[in-house]
Amino acid sequence: MSEREARRSGYPLTIPDRLLLSEGMKRACRQRNFGEIFRLVNRRGPVSYAEIAAAVGKMTSARVGDVIRGVRGIRGLTVMERIADGLGIPGHMLDLPERPWEGTPSPGIPAQEHDYARNGQGAWADLWSEPSTGSASGLPTAHVAPSSSADADALPEVVLVSVYADGREQIVPIDRRALLGHAIGVALPGNPRPRRIRPHRLSSGHSEAAIEHLRDMWHTLVRADNLFGPRHTLTAVHQQLDVLQGLLEDSRGEHRQELLKLSAQYAESAAWLHEDSMDAASAETWTSRAMEWAMEADDEAMLSWTLFRRSQLAAGKRNAGQAIGLAQAVQRHERALTRPMKAAAIQQEAQGLALDGDEVACHRKLDEAHEFAALAESSGDARSGHGDFCTPSYIEIQRANCWLNLSRPDLAVSTFQPALAGLPDVYQRDRGLAQARLAMAYVGIQEYEQAAAESASVLDMARDSGSGRTLQEAVKAVNALAAASNVPAVRDLLDAVKGNAGFSWPRRTN
């Protein structure tokens, strides 16, 4: 942890030193080019518009977007000071007086208003060393060693942090007392991989039966994922992949082709489950494996679908150009695509266009996707083919996500609400992710009570399902809400996090 970050312990947002000391940031600060400052924080942080607005205070995410686009400027000295304080930019870099937090913090001044607002980009992440997996409980452990007693005293009761376990990044709430111990067990799904058991060589008749069984099992697992999330599905998918790889070693001819197609299906599912668990490296590995098997099997539809998955991964990294290009590549395989697959590819292109700031083209693509959408009564088990999740309500949820990326949280809110009402019940994990993003949209329009209610309703589901994406989005909303801790509903939410890191929330009755 740098000295600057240590002094700002407890603040909502602190841009890391690697960004603050970059030539681009120093140049933007010298010129007081706040549009470029916000753009660098947004792209290289990465920090959302809503998080920037919440950190600065008295600012909306729409205004942040306007400043980045040059539609509005920052001229008031008071606003400049709030930006410096909100982002942790030393006063001299903006030709401002030294900021209060630049000196030694007074032990008598609590950071109460900022206790909950860490997002993994600043000081908390630096408290963690590389985790080990040798704890008696079998859970991964992370060792912490605060550099001084002053740092320890500055920690809030519950910290929302980004940690690495089992090779992937996850967001978890950690009790302060546990954090200050020598080692803690991270409350993450262990999902230990069982020892691979290689099946015996099967006769022709038995191979056909095995293929049919594995195909039915795949549909069951897809439905389970949609209902319950990756925690309840990922281990089973890997178990079936182990069986398939064993069968592939001895298979030849027609049976091998069928096994290759089925292996590619399972590998693509593993890629998606790892992506939803915030394990991008494994997602890329299994997407590549699916692509390899699909190519050997000459399965053009699956090959196209792996390109779709790659586009999703690119969008997750906010690589707009690659997300758009790969989604367009999927659409060039038109003869291999079902209508829902085509709808999924078109809306995926729209998401890339939103990241690129092309509002008109984005919404034209979303309108086009509706022409090919899957039936609303989808069973959620992909029996009608890949893309059967891409119903009209799913497309509208993606439209709301695009509005968020386009810095229009007001339109995101009005789009999320009817789309969620029309989402088939089987897609509970998608519902949770959409609710988490709706919470962030409410923060963006300063409807803090609604944001707190949505955040509370989704946190338990996100934690229980193992959906890292959903938990990350919910944590972002909770962190952004810290600036509104004077609102009773927000205070209740933050107190619940403080008092119960297990996220067990009172259920709403309305």
Side-chain angles (χ1 to χ4, degrees), residues 9-24:
S9 182
Y11 276 74
L13 181 63
T14 302
I15 59 176
D17 282 346
R18 67 179 184 279
L19 175 55
L20 181 71
L21 302 178
S22 68
E23 289 303 318

Side-chain angles (χ1 to χ4, degrees), residues 44 65 78 98 107 141 151 177 199 229 284 333 339 341 350 383 428 437 470 492 508:
R44 294 173 59 182
T78 302
E98 182 178 82
T141 62
D151 287 342
R177 287 167 294 183
E284 291 176 354
H333 292 258
R339 291 176 65 84
M341 288 173 72
R383 288 192 181 275
Q428 288 302 309
R437 289 176 175 167
T470 303
D492 289 345
R508 291 181 295 177

Side-chain angles (χ1 to χ4, degrees), residues 92-129:
H92 70 87
M93 292 185 68
L94 290 167
D95 196 21
L96 296 172
E98 182 178 82
R99 310 311 307 146
W101 48 265
E102 290 188 67
T104 303
S106 170
I109 301 177
Q112 183 177 359
E113 294 184 2
H114 308 293
D115 275 357
Y116 308 92
R118 303 311 301 166
N119 64 3
Q121 301 299 327
W124 301 127
D126 291 330
L127 288 173
W128 294 82
S129 64

Side-chain angles (χ1 to χ4, degrees), residues 161-172:
V161 296
S162 172
V163 300
Y164 281 87
D166 292 337
R168 61 180 182 269
E169 183 182 30
Q170 298 203 34
I171 307 296
V172 294

